Amino acid sequence: MLLDFIPLIGAAAQKLLDLIPDPGARAKAAEDYQRALLDIAAKAEADQRDVNKVEAASASLFVAGWRPAIGWVCAAALAFQYLARPLWAWASGVWWPASPPPPALDDMLWQLMFGMLGMGSLRTFEKMKGAGK
């Protein structure tokens, strides 16, 4: 995946920038490099928004419905894990003490939900720095 190479590209770019002897030219090259990265990220984000708009406008349930379906699956998993499962465990302990405990889901559901909703800290950090406006 392309994102796996970003640290390598950044390290290589930094080594190339370190080869520039003039501090002013090095700073200018570093600024140009950062600007180019921000431009690439902004273009990728704009392209993804365009794809999202086309998908959302589609009449096909398989095109426009996959994001809501994933959202509903995540909502159902959260409801089971944090509402139904504890109530099931309580009820089975009260009325059926010999019954096995209800199955547990992964505890990473909140992180999944935050990622789906775009509530990750990376985007917040970018907004605080003024990037990607």
Side-chain angles (χ1 to χ4, degrees):
M1 181 176 218
L2 180 62
L3 294 178
D4 295 336
F5 293 107
I6 288 177
L8 296 173
I9 294 169
Q14 186 59 49
K15 288 194 183 290
L16 288 173
L17 289 171
D18 289 342
L19 294 175
I20 300 173
D22 179 27
R26 186 180 319 127
K28 171 85 167 89
E31 183 180 320
D32 291 344
Y33 170 70
Q34 292 292 331
R35 187 175 296 116
L37 281 180
L38 287 175
D39 289 345
I40 290 168
K43 173 138 179 38
E45 190 174 321
D47 290 346
Q48 185 61 52
R49 271 195 309 267
D50 292 341
V51 169
N52 293 350
K53 287 178 188 176
V54 170
E55 283 182 354
S58 175
S60 170
L61 182 62
F62 290 105
V63 176
W66 77 272
R67 288 176 196 264
I70 297 296
W72 283 111
V73 167
C74 184
L78 284 167
F80 174 79
Q81 180 72 7
Y82 298 109
L83 295 175
R85 185 174 175 270
L87 289 174
W88 179 359
W90 171 78
S92 67
V94 170
W95 289 295
W96 309 284
S99 68
L105 298 178
D106 191 83
D107 286 333
M108 302 293 281
L109 291 171
W110 290 111
Q111 288 86 344
L112 174 65
M113 182 190 68
F114 289 146
M116 287 178 57
L117 295 176
M119 299 164 102
S121 61
L122 180 61
R123 185 64 185 139
T124 303
F125 179 72
E126 288 174 347
K127 284 184 176 182
M128 287 172 49
K129 285 184 67 174
K133 285 186 179 178

